[in-house]
Amino acid sequence: MTAPAVEIDLTLSAPGFVLRVATRIPNGVTAVMGPSGAGKTSLLEAMAGLRRGVRGRLVLGSQVALDSARGINLAPERRRVGYVPQDAGLFPHLSVLGNVRFGARADAAAVDAAIDTLEIRPLLARSTLALSGGERQRVALARALATQPRLLLLDEPMAALDPGLRDRVLPWLLRVRDEWALPCLYVTHNVGEALAVASHMVVLDNGGLEAEGDPRSLLSAPVVVGEAQAGIENILSARIVAHDATGGTTRVRTDAGLDVSVTLAADRPVGAPVTLAVRAEDVLVCGAPAFPEGISARNVYPSSIVMLERTGPDVTLRGSLGEDRGELLARVTPAAVTALSLAVGKTVWLAIKSHSIRLG
């Protein structure tokens, strides 16, 4: 068995609140979810060495960052933890380049790699006060990466962004995940983001570990259900394939090989990476065995139901598109489940209108 990338066994006591979390985090992105006040930010700050009074043990790869029993408690700058708070935390008195270089230990190669990954070279001479919200988050990510961290901590990096900006920042986060292969804890209230970005999830509640595992297997966890009622989105990485100005559509292909028709986006060049976002309630479900004729949706796919879970007043359906083309989530009423005789293992058709897909 592969050794965990991060071992956590931490206790933090504060007035009216106690955080106790013991778990092992694999490589890749781990989503951290839970209601407000559950301890998500406290956990990240404790791991980064930013909170006093933390007891227990924290191991980052081969480095012991904290071991109270042995008297080990490394200072934040020695832990090599990249931390991006919700407000980006950029230094207003430094340029973009000055921010990225901060804490990089004079490693020019690491700075250049971070700049190129986030494609912020055109911004380097600018003041951070002149950046958009999306640009600020990209600079904050680059600054964290330039420190060559053993662990990356992201505290709701897109919570303050409107949906359009969020959709444009998400591809950069996916790029960091794929190109840097760091263990990463990613705090979010957005179930769609968790499903798109993470291969592992931990759910906190009242300062403790409520559940953990594959994100899709935790959709029915009580805490996740509460977040899911605000909306679940399918978020897919893709590339532009072709434009059809006459038909008013652009064809894209997801990383899993699924062809999707979206509203014409002629400003996006062929080959450009994009992110697709579609709300689960905008995915239509047809239970008929034959291809559904006479509907306006341009995207219709056969799918095998692999999960039906009650999420609040509705039911979330997870459908496998087969041939390794990925999965889609749909949200239906319990009445629709009965009327369409939906059950795990049944083949259905999932349909999405082009206008229901946001392109980021």
Side-chain angles (χ1 to χ4, degrees):
M1 179 178 176
T2 303
V6 180
E7 297 181 47
I8 304 168
D9 189 353
L10 301 177
T11 299
L12 170 64
S13 297
F17 177 78
V18 177
L19 175 75
R20 292 192 184 94
V21 176
T23 186
R24 297 185 171 197
I25 301 300
N27 268 311
V29 177
T30 293
V32 182
M33 297 197 71
S36 298
K40 303 183 296 297
T41 296
S42 295
L43 174 62
L44 266 58
E45 291 179 347
M47 296 176 69
L50 303 178
R51 296 290 293 266
R52 294 185 177 183
V54 180
R55 306 287 297 173
R57 180 175 167 85
L58 175 66
V59 182
L60 310 176
S62 60
Q63 180 195 59
V64 178
L66 174 70
D67 191 328
S68 300
R70 296 166 57 194
I72 298 173
N73 187 3
L74 298 185
E77 63 272 16
R78 294 185 58 202
R79 295 191 181 196
R80 284 178 55 186
V81 172
Y83 180 44
V84 179
Q86 186 176 138
D87 64 356
L90 300 180
F91 301 116
H93 64 289
L94 297 177
S95 67
V96 168
L97 179 58
N99 269 272
V100 177
R101 282 178 172 168
F102 187 87
R105 295 185 295 277
D107 191 325
V111 171
D112 281 340
I115 288 169
D116 291 339
T117 295
L118 279 303
E119 294 189 7
I120 59 171
R121 200 167 290 279
L123 308 177
L124 295 182
R126 290 170 58 180
S127 163
T128 59
L129 300 176
L131 301 178
S132 69
E135 289 169 341
R136 289 177 62 82
Q137 290 299 346
R138 285 163 57 193
V139 172
L141 272 170
R143 183 179 64 183
L145 291 176
T147 66
Q148 296 180 297
R150 293 184 173 92
L151 170 68
L152 190 60
L153 303 175
L154 307 179
D155 192 358
E156 297 193 73
M158 293 186 286
L161 305 180
D162 62 43
L165 277 177
R166 189 203 68 181
D167 294 342
R168 290 182 177 270
V169 172
L170 189 59
W172 304 110
L173 181 58
L174 295 172
R175 187 170 181 179
V176 168
R177 178 196 67 184
D178 296 339
E179 294 185 5
W180 289 69
L182 286 168
C184 171
L185 267 67
Y186 178 76
V187 174
T188 180
H189 283 280
N190 187 298
V191 177
E193 287 176 17
L195 295 175
V197 172
S199 57
H200 188 72
M201 180 190 287
V202 297
V203 180
L204 302 185
D205 197 14
N206 295 317
L209 186 63
E210 181 79 8
E212 66 177 315
D214 179 90
R216 295 182 186 274
S217 71
L218 296 178
L219 279 176
S220 59
V223 171
V224 180
V225 167
E227 304 289 358
Q229 290 186 60
I232 299 176
E233 287 186 307
N234 297 280
I235 301 177
L236 308 171
S237 298
R239 289 189 178 273
I240 300 289
V241 173
H243 301 295
D244 178 6
T246 301
T249 61
T250 289
R251 184 162 59 91
V252 303
R253 182 167 296 141
T254 70
D255 291 352
L258 185 71
D259 284 332
V260 182
S261 175
V262 304
T263 302
L264 183 64
D267 60 321
R268 306 292 186 95
V270 171
V274 293
T275 299
L276 309 181
V278 57
R279 294 176 66 86
E281 52 261 47
D282 289 333
V283 179
L284 306 178
V285 180
C286 177
F291 183 89
E293 302 285 352
I295 63 173
S296 62
R298 297 295 85 195
N299 305 291
V300 183
Y301 311 105
S303 173
S304 175
I305 299 176
V306 296
M307 183 203 77
L308 283 170
E309 292 283 1
R310 189 70 180 257
T311 46
D314 296 318
V315 175
T316 298
L317 177 154
R318 177 157 59 100
S320 171
L321 303 177
E323 299 178 355
D324 296 322
R325 295 193 302 169
E327 298 180 336
L328 286 173
L329 296 173
R331 200 167 197 170
V332 297
T333 63
V337 173
T338 301
L340 298 176
S341 301
L342 301 181
V344 172
K346 180 174 181 175
T347 297
V348 296
W349 298 91
L350 301 181
I352 310 170
K353 296 175 62 176
S354 299
H355 285 292
S356 297
I357 302 172
R358 293 201 316 274
L359 199 64

